[in-house]
Amino acid sequence: MAAVQPVSLSSISKLELKHILVPTDFSVCSRAALKQAAAMARLHGSDLLVLHVVPPEPMIQNALEPATWEYMDLVGHAQAQMQQADTEGLLAGIPHQLLVESGALEPVISQLITAREISLLVLGTHGRSGFKKLLLGSVAEKIFRLANCPVMTIGPCESPSLLTHGRFQSILFATDFSSGSMQALPYAIAFAQESASQLTLMHAV
């Protein structure tokens, strides 16, 4: 295993989360992720990009084929769901954009992270599979692995009361001392410093 460089507390700067991306499939878990992202945006003065990705339109010869109408229904339904989320007041006071894109989920997210200079990606997950549930289980893991920015995942057991203030009372940092693990440590320390929260470091043998 490669040697791991120690992390200096003096080298850890304040978190600057300018742009937060929240992909959504309009599920309960995606809504929980949106609540957390909204709280983080208010705390850090960030702007918020809410994204829904519909599958690409199937290649057909006749423009009046049922598949085309079904695709248009999917896009229209997604846009209506986005507007409903916007009118509920969850994003009130936060600079935000609602975006409906067509294509494969992972490439669309990867391109947006780069193009919009995303500072934080917030994902909701509850461990199932299937295309209709876009941000679940293995799909969320794929997004997590391809993202070149910090990723926060919100699980199904998250308490709703913890998703409204953006600050953290206590933080658990689990490490195996690998280089990947050490890349996460500065973020854990920065979150702990800004929230004046307790930070626990853990290694399991």
Side-chain angles (χ1 to χ4, degrees), residues 16 74 81 113 157 185:
E16 293 187 8
L74 280 176
Q81 290 276 75
I113 289 174
C157 298
L185 181 56

mmCIF file of all heavy atoms in Angstrom, residues 16 74 81 113 157 185:
data_model
loop_
_atom_site.group_PDB
_atom_site.id
_atom_site.type_symbol
_atom_site.label_atom_id
_atom_site.label_comp_id
_atom_site.label_asym_id
_atom_site.label_seq_id
_atom_site.Cartn_x
_atom_site.Cartn_y
_atom_site.Cartn_z
ATOM 1 N N GLU A 16 -16.175 25.846 0.381
ATOM 2 C CA GLU A 16 -16.831 26.756 -0.539
ATOM 3 C C GLU A 16 -17.670 25.930 -1.503
ATOM 4 O O GLU A 16 -17.148 25.369 -2.464
ATOM 5 C CB GLU A 16 -15.802 27.602 -1.294
ATOM 6 C CG GLU A 16 -15.053 28.584 -0.410
ATOM 7 C CD GLU A 16 -14.166 29.513 -1.218
ATOM 8 O OE1 GLU A 16 -14.254 29.478 -2.454
ATOM 9 O OE2 GLU A 16 -13.396 30.268 -0.607
ATOM 10 N N LEU A 74 -43.409 11.398 -20.963
ATOM 11 C CA LEU A 74 -42.397 11.320 -19.910
ATOM 12 C C LEU A 74 -41.781 12.695 -19.653
ATOM 13 O O LEU A 74 -41.626 13.110 -18.501
ATOM 14 C CB LEU A 74 -41.295 10.325 -20.303
ATOM 15 C CG LEU A 74 -41.573 8.838 -20.111
ATOM 16 C CD1 LEU A 74 -40.407 8.013 -20.659
ATOM 17 C CD2 LEU A 74 -41.791 8.518 -18.632
ATOM 18 N N GLN A 81 -43.617 17.720 -12.651
ATOM 19 C CA GLN A 81 -43.123 17.357 -11.323
ATOM 20 C C GLN A 81 -42.112 18.380 -10.823
ATOM 21 O O GLN A 81 -42.098 18.734 -9.641
ATOM 22 C CB GLN A 81 -42.477 15.974 -11.376
ATOM 23 C CG GLN A 81 -43.444 14.825 -11.581
ATOM 24 C CD GLN A 81 -44.073 14.369 -10.272
ATOM 25 O OE1 GLN A 81 -44.953 15.028 -9.708
ATOM 26 N NE2 GLN A 81 -43.630 13.241 -9.778
ATOM 27 N N ILE A 113 -21.410 18.096 -14.176
ATOM 28 C CA ILE A 113 -20.451 18.377 -13.106
ATOM 29 C C ILE A 113 -19.300 19.219 -13.639
ATOM 30 O O ILE A 113 -18.864 20.189 -13.014
ATOM 31 C CB ILE A 113 -19.933 17.067 -12.486
ATOM 32 C CG1 ILE A 113 -21.030 16.394 -11.661
ATOM 33 C CG2 ILE A 113 -18.716 17.332 -11.603
ATOM 34 C CD1 ILE A 113 -20.652 15.027 -11.139
ATOM 35 N N CYS A 157 -32.948 5.794 5.812
ATOM 36 C CA CYS A 157 -33.221 5.853 7.253
ATOM 37 C C CYS A 157 -32.930 7.229 7.851
ATOM 38 O O CYS A 157 -32.994 7.398 9.068
ATOM 39 C CB CYS A 157 -32.396 4.788 7.987
ATOM 40 S SG CYS A 157 -32.776 3.093 7.484
ATOM 41 N N LEU A 185 -10.835 12.932 4.313
ATOM 42 C CA LEU A 185 -10.616 13.478 5.657
ATOM 43 C C LEU A 185 -10.686 15.004 5.716
ATOM 44 O O LEU A 185 -11.320 15.546 6.633
ATOM 45 C CB LEU A 185 -9.279 12.978 6.205
ATOM 46 C CG LEU A 185 -8.910 13.454 7.617
ATOM 47 C CD1 LEU A 185 -9.996 13.088 8.623
ATOM 48 C CD2 LEU A 185 -7.556 12.889 8.038
#
